[in-house]
Amino acid sequence: AQSVTQLDSHVSVSEGTPVLLRCNYSSSYSPSLFWYVQHPNKGLQLLLKYTSAATLVKGINGFEAEFKKSETSFHLTKPSAHMSDAAEYFCVVSERNYGQNFVFGPGTRLSVLP
Amino acid sequence: ETGVTQTPRHLVMGMTNKKSLKCEQHLGHNAMYWYKQSAKKPLELMFVYSLEERVENNSVPSRFSPECPNSSHLFLHLHTLQPEDSALYLCASSRTGGDGYTFGSGTRLTVV
């Protein structure tokens, strides 16, 4: 069975500095991996996804993530944080291409300080 | 708008009330989901419908009753809820092929 670990429950950065949100996964098969963002009182929005194509995946709002099989990681990065990036971020793994077997990480809350 | 619409956005109900949450998608997706999001807890998968058949029920109490009349609509019928059921209820849809979920904005439910 697959699982997801988000190593930091809360990350705080200053505006204009880089963002790193860590995600490690466990999967018996080749996984699909996703990052979702949730702003306060909103639903979840897909940021980016990895589905066995290029290992460096670019998403919306300047975010990107790199799939590293040897490290079983899929960390989310952004070169320069913006105040509007403050939100909850969820890493998700799926082992099968059926859409019914998505496992969500516990989430990382990103705070951006002025 | 994401293409998945949930109504109402907010709901306050007493423990003896009966209400329903509605979810609608016109993305051509063939699977729909209900998730519960409580404060300081991970997202909890409640129900999964694939091609209008319920394929997963994660030990959800019977006071929650889902209904999927067609591939575009999903309901969650609520009755005799408890205060601990207060949460954000999220609907999502997807297409077989693993492209990821599309979420609605959620219904914020408060049980008093």
Side-chain angles (χ1 to χ4, degrees):
Chain A
Q2 68 269 43
S3 65
V4 178
T5 303
Q6 291 184 246
L7 297 163
D8 306 297
S9 60
H10 183 210
V11 170
S12 186
V13 301
S14 297
E15 190 175 21
T17 64
V19 175
L20 170 63
L21 304 182
R22 297 182 291 170
C23 172
N24 288 89
Y25 68 91
S26 170
S27 174
S28 302
Y29 305 99
S30 296
S32 295
L33 293 156
F34 309 81
W35 275 99
Y36 282 83
V37 61
Q38 185 179 29
H39 288 92
N41 299 312
K42 302 280 190 183
L44 279 71
Q45 180 185 16
L46 180 65
L47 267 182
L48 49 81
K49 62 185 178 185
Y50 165 78
T51 55
S52 77
T55 56
L56 181 62
V57 181
K58 293 188 185 298
I60 62 172
N61 301 334
F63 284 94
E64 62 182 39
E66 186 171 8
F67 172 69
K68 292 186 176 180
K69 187 175 180 178
S70 61
E71 299 177 10
T72 61
S73 69
F74 191 58
H75 301 334
L76 182 70
T77 60
K78 183 174 180 177
S80 176
H82 191 272
M83 295 297 289
S84 60
D85 295 328
E88 189 91 17
Y89 291 79
F90 296 91
C91 183
V92 182
V93 63
S94 172
E95 268 186 350
R96 297 179 298 168
N97 287 335
Y98 296 121
Q100 292 100 302
N101 204 28
F102 284 52
V103 175
F104 283 76
T108 298
R109 183 163 61 90
L110 175 66
S111 297
V112 182
L113 307 174
Chain B
E1 286 299 328
T2 64
V4 177
T5 303
Q6 288 187 244
T7 54
R9 293 294 303 273
H10 300 274
L11 178 62
V12 178
M13 59 187 287
M15 289 190 283
T16 58
N17 291 159
K18 288 184 180 182
K19 297 285 184 184
S20 295
L21 310 185
K22 180 181 175 183
C23 177
E24 186 173 352
Q25 62 91 8
H26 296 287
L27 300 170
H29 290 172
N30 52 16
M32 297 186 78
Y33 314 79
W34 280 116
Y35 277 86
K36 177 183 178 182
Q37 188 176 37
S38 306
K40 302 188 191 310
K41 292 175 73 173
L43 275 164
E44 300 172 57
L45 178 63
M46 299 176 73
F47 301 104
V48 180
Y49 276 83
S50 178
L51 300 174
E52 300 157 41
E53 289 190 25
R54 191 189 313 179
V55 297
E56 193 160 337
N57 175 347
N58 273 356
S59 304
V60 179
S62 59
R63 57 186 184 270
F64 294 91
S65 174
E67 180 190 1
C68 188
N70 55 61
S71 59
S72 299
H73 295 86
L74 183 66
F75 295 90
L76 188 63
H77 304 299
L78 316 170
H79 64 98
T80 60
L81 295 191
Q82 304 298 311
E84 60 265 27
D85 297 322
S86 299
L88 181 67
Y89 288 85
L90 290 163
C91 173
S93 68
S94 73
R95 183 164 53 85
T96 53
D99 279 353
Y101 292 177
T102 300
F103 280 87
S105 298
T107 294
R108 174 68 64 187
L109 174 67
T110 304
V111 181
V112 296

